[in-house]
Amino acid sequence: MPIRPTSRIAISVLLGSAVSLAAAAGTASAAPRCPGASGIAKLGTAMNLPAGAPGGWTDTPLEVTLPRAGTYELDADVRGRLIGNAPFNSYIVARLWDATSGAEVPQSERLVYQIIDNRTDNALDGGNATAPISELIKVTGPTTIRLQAEAVNSYGAASTSQIYSDSVGYTALSYDRVGP
């Protein structure tokens, strides 16, 4: 006699929506969602970062507003781009900023991209990478979450430091309300 599973599995997808799959009888149905319980924003263009020492955080225009009190999953994909002439050691760091309370979302800081090029031939070096940020946050009311970034030159200097976003890879920030 075949075994028929009766449990449900919740799957979270990039766009912040959730799907519930009913394993029983092999059927699938969409789970009911509360309007405004999830959302996503994308950075529309590349953004230059001023280079400096650590602590020089720059607000990006990328933000989402959590609509009401509750617990939210925050997910960001942050694309960084660096270009410079060797020798240099430069990197980009990003974090989530609670603009409503004026504080960093705890432990949300991530290294996005770094180039360490010790050659002395002044050759051009560069590239880009994308780093994820995933955090859980509990808020007491509507809250604006913003992406911040900083470019740091440890030695030498990158000639270009950017949070990048285009059709090849968007910098994006999404939220999904997961509890009260």
Side-chain angles (χ1 to χ4, degrees):
M1 174 176 217
I3 298 174
R4 300 183 80 189
T6 59
S7 63
R8 291 183 174 256
I9 302 168
I11 301 171
S12 179
V13 262
L14 174 65
L15 297 178
S17 63
V19 176
S20 176
L21 299 177
T27 62
S29 63
R33 300 293 302 175
C34 299
S38 62
I40 187 168
K42 295 178 182 157
L43 187 64
T45 187
M47 180 187 157
N48 292 320
L49 296 172
W57 292 102
T58 300
D59 285 340
T60 73
L62 183 59
E63 63 183 41
V64 294
T65 298
L66 311 179
R68 61 182 181 272
T71 302
Y72 292 84
E73 289 178 346
L74 301 173
D75 289 300
D77 288 309
V78 185
R79 184 175 169 200
R81 179 176 182 230
L82 291 169
I83 300 171
N85 291 89
F88 75 109
N89 176 2
S90 298
Y91 58 94
I92 295 172
V93 183
R95 70 180 181 188
L96 300 178
W97 182 256
D98 180 339
T100 303
S101 69
E104 177 184 359
V105 173
Q107 300 178 346
S108 66
E109 190 171 317
R110 302 291 192 278
L111 176 65
V112 175
Y113 188 55
Q114 180 175 21
I115 294 178
I116 303 172
D117 189 336
N118 291 319
R119 294 177 301 170
T120 57
D121 59 3
N122 201 34
L124 186 64
D125 196 357
N128 68 96
T130 301
I133 301 174
S134 296
E135 295 297 335
L136 198 61
I137 185 173
K138 186 169 181 81
V139 298
T140 58
T143 303
T144 299
I145 303 296
R146 180 177 301 130
L147 179 69
Q148 290 187 326
E150 70 174 328
V152 180
N153 291 313
S154 292
Y155 63 82
S159 56
T160 301
S161 300
Q162 297 174 315
I163 296 298
Y164 214 72
S165 194
D166 65 16
S167 62
V168 176
Y170 287 98
T171 292
L173 175 58
S174 65
Y175 67 91
D176 189 20
R177 187 169 186 265
V178 295

